[in-house]
Amino acid sequence: MSYTGIVKAIHGNELCVEMLPASTSCDSCRTRNLCRISEKERTAQVPVSHPERYKVGQSVIVVCGESLGMKAVLIAFGLPLVLIVLALAVSMGVWNSEKLAVLIGLAVFFAYWTLLFLLRDRIGRKFSCRISGCRQL
């Protein structure tokens, strides 16, 4: 998926790009009815190898892999669901107590999200986008 954005700042080898309302990008997207990108302003930190080629205010095209969306959904919803169901099943099988099973399920849920929070920088690097070109405004 590609988005048009404007370079807002340059920090070392990273561009801070503000994504423009994605009406043109969204028109060709199959999931446009489920997505909320076009409704809000958002920024992305995009690593570049030659930051001197860009300047603040320049319009650029930001490209993100289509598989990133599925990975994000899996990390945010799929894995926690599997872990909670597993925790509930194991807890019920071992202790046969619904209250304890719910507490263990909640503990697993909070532990998972705490781990995600602590690893957010490492995970964020896997979800990076790239600049594919420049556009004239």
Side-chain angles (χ1 to χ4, degrees), residues 92-137:
M92 284 298 294
V94 172
W95 292 290
N96 200 24
S97 168
E98 289 180 6
K99 291 178 184 176
L100 186 60
V102 168
L103 288 175
I104 290 172
L106 286 172
V108 166
F109 177 76
F110 287 118
Y112 178 80
W113 282 100
T114 301
L115 184 65
L116 276 184
F117 178 77
L118 295 174
L119 297 174
R120 68 188 180 276
D121 292 332
R122 181 181 289 182
I123 293 170
R125 279 185 242 129
K126 293 182 182 183
F127 286 89
S128 64
C129 299
R130 63 182 173 80
I131 303 289
S132 75
C134 302
R135 274 208 175 143
Q136 299 299 325
L137 287 176

Side-chain angles (χ1 to χ4, degrees), residues 40-59:
K40 59 185 171 189
E41 184 179 294
R42 58 179 219 145
T43 60
Q45 301 295 328
V46 183
V48 293
S49 55
H50 300 286
E52 66 276 357
R53 294 181 182 171
Y54 305 96
K55 59 184 177 205
V56 174
Q58 183 178 6
S59 180

